[in-house]
């Protein structure tokens, strides 16, 4: 099993999400964000960077996160990340429609671009990744887009070329919504995604 660490803000949504026993069993180390720079992550295989982190602390943490990736680590970045710290980042902010499913002939606007990827063949479905959108990334050409919007903006992609490690980057924010008791799909997402990080083919 891969050793997973999480940068932890201590806010209520992160507390619920990352202390939930069925998810916490996969987490080797919860790292309180103010202590991140002084905490060793050399024993980890995966580092999760949640949504809703303090932007000033996050930007101070960037060099250490990037060094982890350069040493072959897997970095997972959740949620809107408008600050330019991800490899070759091109973030596009878009309006969020929280209630799209109440519309007539509702469509999420999400497209599964890699249905044969191990994440989708063994762990989660597109429905498990569907609640709403905050924006899109326009990733490097050599990245693998797994889920996109209808116009091709990346909602979930994997970048194995920009560094010596692997970046799994998504605009989705399941940590916030599960922790806020809002959006049932996020529970299903984590029920598949944590086992994928621990055991799956990445």
């Amino acid at each position: 099993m891969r050793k997973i660490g999480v940068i932890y803000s201590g806010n209520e949504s992160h507390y619920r999400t990352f202390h939930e026993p069925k998810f916490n069993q996969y987490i080797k180390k919860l790292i309180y964000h103010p202590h991140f720079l002084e905490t060793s992550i050399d024993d980890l295989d995966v580092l999760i960077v949640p949504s809703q982190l303090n932007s000033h602390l996050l930007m101070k943490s960037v060099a250490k996160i990037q060094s982890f990736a350069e040493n072959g680590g897997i970095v997972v970045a959740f949620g809107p990340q408008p600050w330019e710290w991800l490899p070759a980042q091109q973030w596009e902010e878009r309006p969020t429609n929280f209630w799209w499913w109440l519309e007539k002939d509702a469509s999420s606007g999400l497209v599964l671009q890699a249905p044969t990827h191990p994440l989708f063949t063994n762990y989660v479905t597109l429905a498990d990744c569907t609640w709403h959108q905050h924006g899109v990334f326009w990733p490097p050409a050599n990245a693998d887009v797994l889920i996109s919007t209808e116009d091709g903006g990346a909602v979930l992609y994997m970048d194995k070329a920009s560094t010596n490690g692997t970046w799994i980057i998504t605009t989705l924010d399941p940590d916030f919504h599960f922790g806020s008791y809002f959006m049932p799909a996020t529970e299903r997402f984590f029920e598949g995604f944590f086992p994928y990080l621990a055991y799956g083919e990445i």
Side-chain angles (χ1 to χ4, degrees):
M1 185 174 90
R2 295 186 186 94
K3 299 179 179 68
I4 300 172
V6 179
I7 301 178
Y8 173 61
S9 72
N11 69 31
E12 63 276 13
S13 59
H14 285 179
Y15 183 90
R16 185 199 179 210
T17 296
F18 299 121
H19 284 89
E20 166 59 42
K22 62 183 173 181
F23 307 146
N24 183 263
Q25 66 178 309
Y26 296 103
I27 299 172
K28 175 181 175 63
K29 187 179 289 186
L30 276 176
I31 308 165
Y32 186 46
H33 201 178
H35 300 161
F36 178 69
L37 290 180
E38 62 202 52
T39 301
S40 174
I41 55 174
D42 293 341
D43 56 335
L44 300 178
D45 304 303
V46 181
L47 180 67
I48 295 176
V49 183
S51 63
Q52 307 288 326
L53 289 178
N54 178 281
S55 61
H56 298 292
L57 283 178
L58 177 59
M59 296 310 292
K60 289 180 180 179
S61 307
V62 167
K64 185 169 183 175
I65 297 169
Q66 292 177 340
S67 176
F68 176 79
E70 285 292 352
N71 288 326
I74 299 166
V75 178
V76 179
F78 283 133
Q81 295 287 354
W83 310 285
E84 293 186 1
W85 68 275
L86 300 169
Q89 177 166 344
Q90 295 186 71
W91 163 256
E92 180 186 332
E93 189 81 26
R94 293 188 177 182
T96 302
N97 182 352
F98 292 97
W99 310 109
W100 59 269
W101 64 84
L102 298 178
E103 299 172 358
K104 184 180 179 181
D105 301 322
S107 170
S108 70
L110 296 183
V111 179
L112 190 59
Q113 294 286 0
T116 61
H117 190 280
L119 175 61
F120 303 118
T121 58
N122 298 310
Y123 297 96
V124 301
T125 67
L126 180 61
D128 300 335
C129 305
T130 302
W131 46 98
H132 55 245
Q133 306 164 31
H134 292 276
V136 298
F137 291 104
W138 297 98
N142 48 18
D144 295 319
V145 178
L146 306 185
I147 299 175
S148 75
T149 53
E150 292 173 345
D151 65 351
V155 172
L156 172 63
Y157 71 96
M158 189 174 294
D159 181 356
K160 295 184 176 182
S162 295
T163 66
N164 292 322
T166 299
W167 294 76
I168 302 173
I169 298 172
T170 180
T171 72
L172 301 175
D173 52 356
D175 49 321
F176 173 75
H177 286 290
F178 177 81
S180 301
Y181 300 86
F182 181 45
M183 300 291 181
T186 60
E187 183 169 8
R188 301 194 307 270
F189 176 88
F190 274 134
E191 287 171 346
F193 193 68
F194 269 114
Y196 171 69
L197 290 180
Y199 300 108
E201 180 184 342
I202 297 178

